[in-house]
Amino acid sequence: MSTVYTLYLGISRIAMPILIASLLFLWIIIFKKSKRKNEALAFMQPEFGENYGEIFSRESLVGKSHRCEVRLEKSPHKCHALITLEKDGFFVEPLNGKVAVNDEPIYDKTPISVGDFITFNKEMYRLCLPEEEDEPCKVCKGTGFMLLIFTLFQVLLCGQVYLSPNMESGYIFPASIGGMILIEWIYYIVLRVKNGHAKMFIEIPTAFLLSLGLTICYSCTPEEYVKQLVCIGVGIVGAFILRSILSGLSAVTALRYVVAVIALGLLGVNLIFGTTVYGSRNWLDLGFVSFQPSEVVKVAYIFFGGVVLSKKELSKMGIFIFLVFSALCMGTIAIMRDFGAVAIFFVTMVVLLMMRHAPLWITGGITGLAAVSAVGVITFLPYVADRFAAWTKVWQYADSLGYQQTRTIIACASGGLFGVGAGNGYLKNITAADTDLVFGIVSEEFGGIISFAMAMCFVLFAVYAVDVSKRCRSSYYAGTACAAAGMLLFQTALNIFGSVDILPLTGVTIPFVSNGGTSIISGLCILAFFKAAEVESKLPETIRRRYY
Amino acid sequence: MTSFRSLFVTLLSTIFTLTILFHYGKLAIHSERYASYPTNPHLFNQGDLYRAGKILDRDGNILAQTINGKREFNSSETIRRATVHTVGDLEGNVATGVHSVYFNELTGYNFVDGVYDSDNSGNDITLTIDTDMCTTAYKALGGYKGTVGVMNWKTGEILCMVSTPTFDPYYTDQADKDAENGVYVNRLLSGQYAPGSTFKVVTALSGIENFSNLDDKYTCKNGVTIGGEWVSCMGNHGSETMQSGLTHSCNSTFAQIGVKLGGNTLLRTAEGLGFNKKVNLGKITCAKSIVNLTNIKDIDLGWASMGQHDDLINPFHYLTVMSAIANDGVLKEPVLVKKVSTPKGTTLKKEGGSDKRLIAKEDAKTLSDMMRKVVTDYYSDSGFSGLETCGKTGTAEVGEDKRPHSWFVGFCRNESKPYAFVVIVENGGMGAGIAKTIASRVLNS
Ligand SMILES: [Zn+2]
C-alpha cells in the first residue's frame, strides 16, 4: 500500500461515516421543520347540529361507517355517497343511498359548488370552504446543505475507490459518480427555480444507496458496472414516466386492468419459460437481456392494488378483485420457489388493505391463512426446510448451511464502526455476496455507522410515506406511498436480517444496493409513488385557482 | 383514524429499527469472538493466525511471531512445550493462552476500528515469564503430570508457568488425541486440586489472627476423636503446639485448631485470602479456590482444616496467597503481560501495579516465621541454601489405588530472589519428596 493511499484511507474512513451520520441528522431536522399541518379542503356544514364533516382528501366518503369523512346518523348505508375533487371542482356521486343537490334528486356523478345544499336521505349539508387561506409552504431550507454534505461523501468515496490497490483504477467510476453529482445539483437547481424551494427527502437517501451499490458492483463485478449504470438510467426514466402517469387519477383508473393483465402475463410467461438461478425459477431470459419479472410485477402490484381498493370500488368488488389478483401473483411466484418475494408481496398486501380500511376480519383472516401456509411450506418443502435448519444456529453449520451468514457476521465484526476501506474486504469473494450479503460488504468495507445509515434510509422512506399519507388529498396516493415504503422496508429487512442470521436467509435483494438490474429499475420506479403522494399532499392548485 | 391506517407501516419501521439495533448490540458484545473466528481472512490464512504481533518473554526471547504471513513459534521444541500453555496455540485449544485471551491486543483488533490497521502487523506482547526457568521446571517435572508456578512477590510478575502434560503447538493434531488427559489445560490457572496439608497454612493464619496464645497444646495419639469420630494422623505426636504441629504436619493438631476456631472464623480468614472469589490474571479468568465451611459438622470442619473434606485450591490462587505472606501481607497484583507495544516500540498498555492487603503485617510475619521453621526444622535447608525458603508440603489423597498428589508451596525470603512458588506433582507420592526436588531445581536455576 502506498503512503498516499494509507494516509487517504486513514482520514476518509473516519470522515465518510461522520458525513453520512450528519446527513441523516439533517434529514430528520429538515423533515421536522417542513412538516405542515393537515388543512381541510372543504367543510360539509350540517343544517342542524354541530356535526361538521371535514373533507381532506380528493375522495371523501359519506355514510354511517366510522371510516367516512362525513358521518351520517340517519342513513341506513355504510357508504352512502362519495364526494370527489377533480380538476373541474367538487362532485357528488350516490353509491347506495339517495342524494339530492339543492333538492333535486340525482342518480349520477354531479358537479357541486360552494354554497350548494346536498341532502343525503333526510340530512342536509352545505358545502363550505375553510375561511383562511392555507399558509404558504414553509421554504425547506437546508436541502442544499444536505446535498453539499452528500457530494463531499461521494467525492471521498470516489477517491477511496480510485486509489484502492484492490480495485481497477479506471476513469469510469469517478466519471459515473461525477455524473451523479452533476445530475443531483441540476435536479436541485431545477426544483429551486420551479418551486422556489427544493425537497429531496427521497432523492438524497436514494442517491446514497445507489452510490454504495455502484461501489460494490465496481469491486465485485466490474464487468457488470456499465450494465448497472444503464439500469439506473432506465430506472430513473421509468420513475419519471410512472410519476407523470400517476399525476392524474383518471389515467391510473383507465390503466388499472392493462397493468394487471401485463403483470399476470409476465408471471405466466416466467412460469413457463423461466430459468432457475440459486434454486428459484424467477429469471426470464430474452436472449439479449435477462430479467426478473417478479421485480416488475412489484410496481404493477402497488399500482393496481391502489386503484381497486379506492373508496369508490371498496363498496363494490374492490377487495375481492384485489385478493384474487394478490393470490394469483403470490401463487405464481410461490411456484417459482421465490418465497422471499412472496413474503414481500404479502406484507405489501397487508399494508394496502390496512391503508384502505378493509375490514379487520379480512386482514386478520388472510394473515392467519398465510401463517398456516407458511408453516406448511417450511415443513414440507425440503429446499425451504434446509434454510430453516441452519437458522439461529449458523455457527454449528459454519461451513455448510451457515456459510454465508457466518462469513457475513465475521465481516461485520471485522469492519468495526469505520470499515477497512472500499474494496479491501473479503466477503465480496463469496458467491452471490453482491446481492444477498451486501449488508455485510458495506459493514466490512465502510463500517457499522454507514451500514446502519444504509438500513435507516429505508426507515426514513417509511417515516416520510406515513407522514405524507396523513396529508394526502387522495387516498390512492396515501395507500400506494405506504405500500411502497412497506415493500422496500420489508425487502431490506429480509435481506439484512437473513444475512446476519436473525431471519432465515431468503436471497432477496436490498433495493438500490444489491447488484441486479431489474431490482434497481423496479426500486427506482417504486419511488414514483412517494413523489406522487408528495405533490398530492399540498393544497391542490385547482382549489386555489377556483375559489380564492 | 388516519394514523391507524398507517399503523402497520409505523410498526414495521419500529420493529426494523429495534432489530437492527439488536444486531449491532450483539456485534458489540461478541465482536472479538466473531473476528477471531479462524475463517476470518483479515487475520487468518487457512486457519492460521497470521496478522499478529510478537510474543516475547521478559528477556526479549521470541516465543511466537509472524514471518511472511505464517505464525512461527520458538525454534526449540523444549521451549515450545514449556511455554505453550502460557502462549497458547493458534486454534484456541488453550483457552487461557495469550493467543486467545489477548487476541485484540495481539492483532490490533477492536470493535471501533475493526481489523483496520495501517501497517497491518498487530502489536507485540512482552510477557513476564522467564523462558529458562520455564524449561527448567518443564524438565524437572519429568514425565509427571503437574504444574509449577513462580511469582515475584515484590513485583507481582509471573516468572514461571508450566503445566504438564504439554504439547508442541506445531502438532496439535497429535495433541488432540491426548486432549482427555488435559493436555490443553493450563493446570496452574485452570486446575482445582485437593490441597492436602498445604491448607494448614490457612488454618494456622486463622489461628494467628484469632488466638491470644499460640503456645496452647494439642494432643495427638495417632489421631484424635472429634465429635465422636476419629481423625487419623500419620504420626503419634503426643503433645503439639501450632508451630510444631505445622512442622510435623500433624492432622490432630489442626483438626482441633479448626474446631476451636469454628467454621465461620476459618471461612472469614479463607475468604480474606481470596477463597470462593473470582481469580484473574490480567484478562485471563482462572478457576476459583473453594472451601465450604458454613453449617458443617465438627468432624467435617476438622478434616477441612487440614485440607481434606471438599476443599479445592486453584494453584495460581495459592501462589498469590504465598506472595502476600512473603510481602508482609500485601499482594502485588499478579502480572503476566508486562506490556503491549506497537512494532515501532510505542507502549500501548501495561498491566498490574495495584496493591491489596490480604493479611495484617504482624500476622504475615508470624506465619512467615512459622513456615520458615517448617523448612529449617523438618526438611533442612539442603537444596535451598541461601534462599531463606519458607514452605509447606502436602499430600492429597486422590483415590484408593492411586498415588497421592504431592504439593510444595512457599516462598524465598531472600530479597535478591523474591520468589513465591507452587509445585504440584500429580500422583507424585507421599510428602515432600518429588515436589520439593522440583522446587529446588527451579529456584536454583
Ligand atoms: Zn499428629
Side-chain angles (χ1 to χ4, degrees):
Chain A
M1 282 201 274
S2 70
T3 343
V4 179
Y5 178 64
T6 313
L7 194 69
Y8 181 83
L9 183 60
I11 298 168
S12 61
R13 68 187 279 276
I14 307 288
M16 279 158 58
I18 292 175
L19 286 173
I20 288 303
S22 37
L23 187 72
L24 292 200
F25 196 61
L26 260 180
W27 192 101
I28 295 166
I29 291 177
I30 300 175
F31 180 73
K32 276 194 166 171
K33 278 194 177 165
S34 72
K35 255 187 173 176
R36 287 174 305 131
K37 71 170 193 289
N38 198 358
E39 300 118 14
L41 294 173
F43 291 102
M44 294 294 278
Q45 191 183 17
E47 191 187 15
F48 305 107
E50 305 279 300
N51 199 7
Y52 277 86
E54 284 188 319
I55 294 179
F56 286 108
S57 54
R58 281 180 182 268
E59 308 108 33
S60 305
L61 276 172
V62 183
K64 73 166 187 181
S65 161
H66 64 88
R67 62 171 191 270
C68 294
E69 275 86 345
V70 183
R71 286 193 66 176
L72 302 177
E73 276 158 21
K74 290 167 194 160
S75 168
H77 305 289
K78 277 189 173 173
C79 305
H80 192 110
L82 183 73
I83 295 176
T84 53
L85 172 68
E86 285 164 37
K87 273 190 183 143
D88 322 320
F90 289 101
F91 291 83
V92 65
E93 185 183 353
L95 292 175
N96 301 304
K98 287 182 203 158
V99 181
V101 177
N102 297 329
D103 291 334
E104 293 277 322
I106 56 155
Y107 304 97
D108 290 313
K109 194 166 163 186
T110 311
I112 46 174
S113 18
V114 173
D116 282 351
F117 290 96
I118 301 120
T119 319
F120 304 101
N121 231 4
K122 282 162 193 156
E123 291 169 77
M124 200 204 279
Y125 287 84
R126 187 163 172 245
L127 183 67
C128 312
L129 282 183
E131 284 174 9
E132 281 171 41
E133 198 194 340
D134 101 301
E135 56 179 303
C137 172
K138 282 180 202 159
V139 177
C140 311
K141 281 177 190 156
T143 304
F145 188 51
M146 240 167 96
L147 195 57
L148 188 69
I149 290 181
F150 179 59
T151 305
L152 260 175
F153 166 81
Q154 284 180 306
V155 170
L156 286 178
L157 173 69
C158 226
Q160 242 186 40
V161 172
Y162 185 73
L163 292 173
S164 168
N166 300 324
M167 279 199 263
E168 293 174 28
S169 55
Y171 287 103
I172 183 152
F173 188 83
S176 47
I177 293 290
M180 243 172 111
I181 296 176
L182 198 67
I183 293 169
E184 286 154 17
W185 283 100
I186 291 174
Y187 183 82
Y188 170 74
I189 291 165
V190 167
L191 282 185
R192 278 300 291 262
V193 171
K194 216 174 98 189
N195 305 339
H197 64 88
K199 274 186 177 182
M200 292 171 77
F201 291 122
I202 297 297
E203 291 85 342
I204 291 179
T206 308
F208 167 58
L209 297 171
L210 286 173
S211 310
L212 291 179
L214 280 175
T215 315
I216 291 170
C217 177
Y218 191 66
S219 86
C220 293
T221 47
E223 67 280 3
E224 288 179 17
Y225 188 71
V226 175
K227 192 198 88 184
Q228 188 92 339
L229 282 178
V230 170
C231 287
I232 292 177
V234 171
I236 293 174
V237 172
F240 274 102
I241 293 173
L242 183 58
R243 169 74 194 81
S244 61
I245 294 174
L246 290 173
S247 65
L249 261 185
S250 49
V252 174
T253 318
L255 279 174
R256 63 193 151 161
Y257 289 114
V258 180
V259 168
V261 168
I262 291 177
L264 291 176
L266 265 178
L267 286 177
V269 171
N270 187 188
L271 198 58
I272 301 163
F273 301 105
T275 25
T276 309
V277 177
Y278 300 129
S280 304
R281 205 163 92 186
N282 54 1
W283 283 85
L284 198 57
D285 197 344
L286 298 185
F288 62 98
V289 63
S290 65
F291 72 109
Q292 280 181 293
S294 57
E295 291 288 344
V296 182
V297 174
K298 279 178 189 167
V299 187
Y301 186 77
I302 298 178
F303 185 93
F304 180 76
V307 205
V308 291
L309 284 180
S310 78
K311 282 185 180 170
K312 200 166 142 187
E313 307 226 12
L314 189 63
S315 53
K316 298 173 188 168
M317 297 284 281
I319 293 187
F320 180 71
I321 297 172
F322 177 62
L323 290 182
V324 170
F325 180 66
S326 304
L328 283 173
C329 287
M330 286 186 233
T332 349
I333 297 169
I335 296 171
M336 293 187 266
R337 290 184 158 192
D338 191 353
F339 293 104
V342 174
I344 293 165
F345 274 89
F346 180 77
V347 167
T348 314
M349 180 178 82
V350 174
V351 174
L352 276 168
L353 286 174
M354 295 279 286
M355 287 304 290
R356 311 315 301 270
H357 299 299
L360 273 179
W361 65 265
I362 293 188
T363 318
I366 288 170
T367 312
L369 201 70
V372 171
S373 40
V375 170
V377 164
I378 294 161
T379 322
F380 295 113
L381 287 184
Y383 156 81
V384 182
D386 257 13
R387 294 197 162 183
F388 274 83
W391 181 37
T392 68
K393 24 187 189 295
V394 288
W395 295 98
Q396 289 168 33
Y397 299 95
D399 290 312
S400 53
L401 292 172
Y403 184 81
Q404 290 170 298
Q405 297 93 316
T406 49
R407 298 317 183 268
T408 306
I409 295 169
I410 291 170
C412 290
S414 300
L417 294 182
F418 296 100
V420 295
N424 299 343
Y426 290 94
L427 188 67
K428 61 179 183 198
N429 302 331
I430 290 177
T431 320
D434 59 342
T435 56
D436 296 3
L437 313 179
V438 278
F439 178 73
I441 298 182
V442 171
S443 293
E444 185 183 27
E445 303 192 354
F446 299 102
I449 296 174
I450 287 190
S451 68
F452 178 68
M454 176 183 91
M456 289 321 281
C457 281
F458 294 94
V459 174
L460 294 186
F461 289 160
V463 167
Y464 184 82
V466 167
D467 177 69
V468 121
S469 77
K470 285 179 185 165
R471 288 182 284 112
C472 246
R473 301 307 181 187
S474 162
S475 56
Y476 175 77
Y477 300 103
T480 49
C482 280
M487 179 180 268
L488 294 178
L489 185 68
F490 187 71
Q491 184 168 343
T492 309
L494 279 188
N495 177 297
I496 294 182
F497 300 144
S499 71
V500 298
D501 195 35
I502 294 174
L503 290 175
L505 193 66
T506 37
V508 301
T509 56
I510 296 189
F512 315 115
V513 188
S514 288
N515 189 2
T518 340
S519 148
I520 285 192
I521 295 175
S522 77
L524 285 165
C525 288
I526 285 171
L527 295 181
F529 292 110
F530 294 133
K531 294 308 284 182
E534 182 186 304
V535 172
E536 278 301 315
S537 71
K538 292 173 196 153
L539 196 62
E541 281 299 312
T542 48
I543 292 265
R544 287 169 186 271
R545 268 204 317 275
R546 282 177 73 90
Y547 300 112
Y548 290 109
Chain B
M1 197 172 79
T2 40
S3 49
F4 175 75
R5 298 191 305 172
S6 48
L7 190 69
F8 186 61
V9 177
T10 312
L11 198 70
L12 267 182
S13 320
T14 315
I15 296 174
F16 180 89
T17 312
L18 292 177
T19 315
I20 198 106
L21 288 175
F22 167 77
H23 160 73
Y24 286 104
K26 201 171 145 197
L27 204 61
I29 294 168
H30 300 302
S31 62
E32 187 181 332
R33 202 177 83 207
Y34 297 147
S36 66
Y37 201 75
T39 58
N40 185 353
H42 288 283
L43 306 174
F44 295 85
N45 179 17
Q46 293 176 339
D48 256 5
L49 182 71
Y50 74 87
R51 205 194 81 179
K54 298 186 182 80
I55 299 178
L56 309 147
D57 81 345
R58 61 183 302 110
D59 303 316
N61 299 313
I62 292 167
L63 301 176
Q65 64 181 328
T66 296
I67 302 173
N68 298 328
K70 194 125 182 62
R71 197 72 177 155
E72 306 274 2
F73 292 88
N74 193 287
S75 55
S76 146
E77 188 186 334
T78 314
I79 293 179
R80 290 201 297 272
R81 285 174 170 274
T83 57
V84 68
H85 288 105
T86 312
V87 173
D89 63 327
L90 299 182
E91 288 158 27
N93 290 312
V94 181
T96 55
V98 168
H99 270 131
S100 299
V101 181
Y102 286 86
F103 179 84
N104 281 8
E105 287 78 356
L106 209 51
T107 57
Y109 175 80
N110 64 66
F111 176 64
V112 173
D113 260 338
V115 295
Y116 174 79
D117 183 356
S118 54
D119 47 18
N120 225 18
S121 57
N123 303 312
D124 294 345
I125 289 184
T126 306
L127 302 178
T128 55
I129 61 165
D130 181 328
T131 305
D132 293 337
M133 201 187 261
C134 290
T135 47
T136 310
Y138 167 58
K139 286 178 187 159
L141 275 164
Y144 282 106
K145 289 183 188 175
T147 182
V148 177
V150 178
M151 174 173 168
N152 182 324
W153 50 258
K154 272 187 171 170
T155 60
E157 292 173 336
I158 306 294
L159 299 171
C160 172
M161 175 149 78
V162 173
S163 174
T164 53
T166 183
F167 65 102
D168 187 336
Y170 280 138
Y171 304 101
T172 44
D173 44 341
Q174 288 176 20
D176 284 340
K177 295 173 202 149
D178 226 9
E180 62 202 37
N181 286 325
V183 70
Y184 292 136
V185 177
N186 185 340
R187 286 169 153 69
L188 187 74
L189 303 182
S190 309
Q192 280 178 319
Y193 289 94
S197 302
T198 55
F199 191 77
K200 287 172 184 159
V201 173
V202 177
T203 311
L205 175 64
S206 191
I208 293 166
E209 286 174 348
N210 294 291
F211 296 160
S212 48
N213 185 2
L214 296 181
D215 296 327
D216 285 351
K217 301 280 193 213
Y218 306 91
T219 49
C220 169
K221 288 173 181 167
N222 260 325
V224 71
T225 311
I226 302 264
E229 291 184 64
W230 183 248
V231 175
S232 61
C233 182
M234 303 302 289
N236 187 358
H237 297 108
S239 169
E240 297 269 32
T241 60
M242 190 193 284
Q243 170 69 65
S244 63
L246 189 67
T247 308
H248 301 134
S249 200
C250 174
N251 287 354
S252 316
T253 308
F254 279 87
Q256 290 169 70
I257 293 174
V259 173
K260 194 167 155 192
L261 284 164
N264 290 337
T265 312
L266 186 55
L267 182 67
R268 200 163 56 238
T269 303
E271 290 190 339
L273 294 174
F275 280 79
N276 298 345
K277 284 180 187 160
K278 269 198 299 193
V279 179
N280 292 320
L281 170 55
K283 279 175 74 183
I284 306 171
T285 307
C286 308
K288 280 182 187 176
S289 292
I290 297 165
V291 285
N292 294 313
L293 297 170
T294 39
N295 303 323
I296 59 171
K297 290 188 293 185
D298 276 357
I299 177 69
D300 293 334
L301 178 57
W303 282 114
S305 307
M306 55 195 175
Q308 297 292 336
H309 194 47
D310 51 6
D311 303 347
L312 283 176
I313 283 191
N314 166 250
F316 168 70
H317 168 242
Y318 221 39
L319 186 59
T320 62
V321 172
M322 291 303 135
S323 296
I325 299 169
N327 195 29
D328 292 334
V330 175
L331 173 63
K332 287 278 175 188
E333 186 188 351
V335 187
L336 177 64
V337 171
K338 201 171 180 159
K339 66 173 183 192
V340 179
S341 53
T342 65
K344 292 181 187 104
T346 321
T347 302
L348 300 172
K349 184 174 161 187
K350 281 190 164 170
E351 290 195 348
S354 71
D355 290 353
K356 192 176 167 197
R357 176 164 292 283
L358 301 186
I359 312 164
K361 191 174 178 184
E362 315 77 65
D363 297 343
K365 180 82 176 78
T366 313
L367 184 60
S368 163
D369 289 342
M370 283 174 84
M371 290 173 71
R372 174 74 189 133
K373 263 182 109 75
V374 171
V375 174
T376 50
D377 291 6
Y378 197 61
Y379 312 122
S380 90
D381 247 349
S382 71
F384 298 103
S385 55
L387 295 175
E388 217 183 312
T389 309
C390 313
K392 179 76 194 84
T393 56
T395 309
E397 302 292 343
V398 287
E400 304 286 305
D401 49 351
K402 285 182 186 150
R403 277 153 63 85
H405 291 351
S406 169
W407 281 77
F408 188 44
V409 301
F411 48 89
C412 310
R413 288 207 289 204
N414 186 327
E415 295 274 322
S416 64
K417 285 204 168 181
Y419 304 151
F421 57 86
V422 165
V423 178
I424 298 169
V425 183
E426 293 184 16
N427 313 117
M430 289 300 297
I434 179 92
K436 196 164 143 274
T437 316
I438 293 170
S440 136
R441 281 180 64 182
V442 172
L443 296 178
N444 283 310
S445 69

